[in-house]
Amino acid sequence: MSNIAIIGTGYVGLVTGVVLSEIGNTVTCIDIDENKVRILQRGQSPIYEPGLDELMVKNIDAKRLFFTTNHKEALANSNIIFIAVGTPQSESGAADLTYIKQAAKDIALNIVKDTIVVVKSTVPVGTNDLVESIIKEHLITNRKVDVVSNPEFLREGHAIQDTFYGDRIVIGAENNEAGNTIKKLFKPLNLPIVQTNRRSAEMIKYAANAFLAVKISYINEIANLCEAMDANVLDVAEGMGLDHRIGRAFLNPGLGYGGSCFPKDTEAIAYLGREYCAPLTIVENAIKANFRQREIFLQKVLNYFDGNLEGKIIGMLGLSFKPNTDDLREAPSVYLIEELEKRGAIVKAYDPVVKHLPQCVEHFDEVINNSNIVLLVTEWEEFKSLEIPANKLFDGRYFLKK
Ligand code: UDX
């Protein structure tokens, strides 16, 4: 079993750490935020993720899972180090690699034994090479360091399930021995493993996410056409999805994709396409179509009130970017609230998990009974049984529509 350090305790880092400890490794998760580390040490997850707290507590009690702010000690004690820091979107659309570079430097300055560095963060093609060169430049020992790419495919709200029962594990290595060590690390998960060179592994992640985003934008544009031509997009999705070459997954129409990955990763791969003169016109257009989807929905609301929202009370069901998460990043709800309020509307919103926005009310009854119209923005399962008068409902997720 390995001694593993994980840099970054966001979604990816935390879940990876918990899962690797669950399969028997000793894992130390590092974060600079002392308050966050204290919460984690108590076995509390700072993110809403079904099943995560239980596994954290179990592995903390078993003395396999640790949390610390002490970089030095954790990095020195490990033979495998995962980098799982954020790669936010910069102004140009490219991924901002500041935290990745910082992690690489930290590793170089603190390791004392031969180490495999695994890059889990979603990074542009070529970043693993960059990490390797930063480490080599700053290394203060003559220890051997290999850098391996291991992109993450977990979905928020299904993170534990996706990690234990995912479709595949991708490992990108230039050195076979290092690649095989990481392969062995994940062996207990018993999942198909794709071993490639580092650049291909990095590309798999972006290409897969962009493809799924394209699929969503495609069904959304088909949904708009269906609406205009009196066809039922849900039946169309079912009929398309049964063709196993297409598949039913990610053919749910609605307000478009949000969250911390698709919007950022589509922008990042589109940027690479422009940079390397291999334009990704399909992805570029999927991004535009995704944004248009929110605008079209807003326009429907405006049309209903003849363009005048002043003083109108608009109920909103669901705030998170998708069900089973409290994440509001790139959520259509945020855009809609801003646009509606800008035009003088009063928004009352209910979400089963997100409770901190000023628009939030205690109970969904308040949203349904005390508003002029109701927008269904996130398809939380518990909304399925709600009775909302058809003339009042704007179903942004085709969720209550038959
Ligand atoms: C995604 C990828 O699925 C995952 O592999 C990657 O590691 C991170 O990004 P996540 O952002 O957690 O995961 O959510 P996901 O369930 O994939 O949904 C992304 C967005 O697409 C959500 O806004 C969701 O509402 C939307 N979506 C998804 C649709 O609009 N229609 C669909 O059919 C599926």
Side-chain angles (χ1 to χ4, degrees):
M1 287 299 143
S2 304
N3 274 333
I4 298 170
I6 309 224
I7 306 179
T9 56
Y11 245 103
V12 170
L14 183 56
V15 174
T16 304
V18 171
V19 169
L20 287 173
S21 66
E22 174 70 11
I23 57 176
N25 301 285
T26 305
V27 180
T28 306
C29 299
I30 309 168
D31 207 289
I32 43 169
D33 183 338
E34 280 185 21
N35 196 30
K36 190 175 181 188
V37 166
R38 258 197 301 276
I39 295 172
L40 290 164
Q41 283 168 337
R42 289 201 294 266
Q44 289 167 350
S45 157
I47 47 176
Y48 173 81
E49 187 62 46
L52 186 58
D53 291 51
E54 290 87 329
L55 279 186
M56 279 173 75
V57 170
K58 180 180 166 201
N59 287 290
I60 291 171
D61 287 349
K63 306 237 171 313
R64 285 192 299 258
L65 181 62
F66 302 89
F67 297 94
T68 183
T69 49
N70 189 338
H71 275 226
K72 212 173 177 56
E73 201 178 292
L75 295 177
N77 286 336
S78 307
N79 42 1
I80 300 177
I81 300 171
F82 279 77
I83 300 181
V85 296
T87 50
Q89 192 181 319
S90 66
E91 287 279 296
S92 63
D96 177 348
L97 298 180
T98 312
Y99 302 119
I100 294 271
K101 291 178 190 165
Q102 186 55 48
K105 246 189 234 172
D106 257 12
I107 291 170
L109 297 178
N110 290 302
I111 58 168
V112 292
K113 46 184 155 188
D114 291 354
T115 305
I116 299 179
V117 174
V118 185
V119 180
K120 251 237 180 278
S121 310
T122 300
V123 290
V125 178
T127 305
N128 276 260
D129 299 351
L130 176 71
V131 168
E132 185 173 271
S133 65
I134 295 176
I135 294 176
K136 286 206 167 126
E137 188 190 331
H138 293 90
L139 203 58
I140 51 170
T141 66
N142 57 355
R143 292 304 185 179
K144 186 165 165 288
V145 180
D146 283 298
V147 177
V148 173
S149 164
N150 169 231
E152 183 52 67
F153 298 98
L154 60 81
R155 290 166 302 166
E156 290 184 22
H158 301 263
I160 297 293
Q161 185 197 343
D162 281 356
T163 314
F164 280 111
Y165 309 103
D167 291 328
R168 77 307 207 182
I169 288 170
V170 174
I171 295 171
E174 302 306 314
N175 169 343
N176 252 342
E177 199 188 323
N180 287 337
T181 305
I182 301 307
K183 203 169 167 181
K184 228 163 53 206
L185 180 68
F186 286 114
K187 196 158 185 275
L189 294 179
N190 211 9
L191 298 173
I193 291 183
V194 180
Q195 201 166 338
T196 68
N197 65 19
R198 288 196 302 225
R199 286 178 175 244
S200 307
E202 291 169 325
M203 186 62 94
I204 288 170
K205 171 68 197 246
Y206 272 141
N209 270 2
F211 184 83
L212 293 171
V214 166
K215 205 171 171 189
I216 295 169
S217 279
Y218 182 76
I219 198 65
N220 280 338
E221 290 200 322
I222 294 292
N224 300 339
L225 185 60
C226 283
E227 226 163 273
M229 302 191 71
D230 231 359
N232 182 330
V233 67
L234 297 181
D235 293 341
V236 173
E238 194 188 334
M240 286 170 64
L242 282 172
D243 183 331
H244 67 265
R245 294 169 302 179
I246 298 173
R248 177 63 181 82
F250 284 72
L251 283 183
N252 296 325
L255 284 163
Y257 58 80
S260 64
C261 292
F262 285 177
K264 168 174 81 73
D265 295 349
T266 45
E267 289 289 353
I269 195 172
Y271 174 85
L272 288 179
R274 292 192 296 271
E275 274 294 280
Y276 286 84
C277 297
L280 296 172
T281 54
I282 294 173
V283 179
E284 301 267 11
N285 281 308
I287 295 170
K288 285 188 199 136
N290 190 56
F291 190 68
R292 214 161 35 233
Q293 211 57 17
R294 298 169 184 193
E295 294 177 323
I296 291 172
F297 190 69
L298 176 68
Q299 195 54 50
K300 282 184 193 162
V301 174
L302 282 167
N303 291 349
Y304 181 83
F305 292 111
D306 290 328
N308 180 10
L309 293 184
E310 203 54 56
K312 299 292 183 300
I313 301 177
I314 299 191
M316 189 174 280
L317 289 173
L319 289 165
S320 54
F321 82 94
K322 65 168 192 176
N324 294 317
T325 174
D326 59 356
D327 200 335
L328 284 172
R329 283 176 287 181
E330 303 288 331
S333 64
V334 175
Y335 165 84
L336 288 170
I337 289 175
E338 198 184 314
E339 293 298 323
L340 294 168
E341 289 186 343
K342 208 157 74 186
R343 292 169 172 82
I346 299 152
V347 178
K348 287 178 189 275
Y350 172 82
D351 186 283
V353 176
V354 181
K355 303 282 182 198
H356 66 280
L357 297 188
Q359 292 79 9
C360 288
V361 296
E362 278 292 307
H363 201 269
F364 52 72
D365 274 350
E366 248 181 286
V367 165
I368 299 170
N369 299 331
N370 304 337
S371 56
N372 295 104
I373 56 165
V374 176
L375 315 183
L376 192 139
V377 175
T378 317
E379 69 280 30
W380 283 91
E381 202 50 43
E382 64 177 86
F383 296 158
K384 198 91 212 184
S385 54
L386 296 182
E387 297 284 340
I388 305 169
N391 60 353
K392 225 180 146 171
L393 174 67
F394 287 70
D395 187 347
R397 297 288 177 179
Y398 295 82
F399 189 59
L400 300 176
K401 282 185 185 163
K402 298 287 172 295

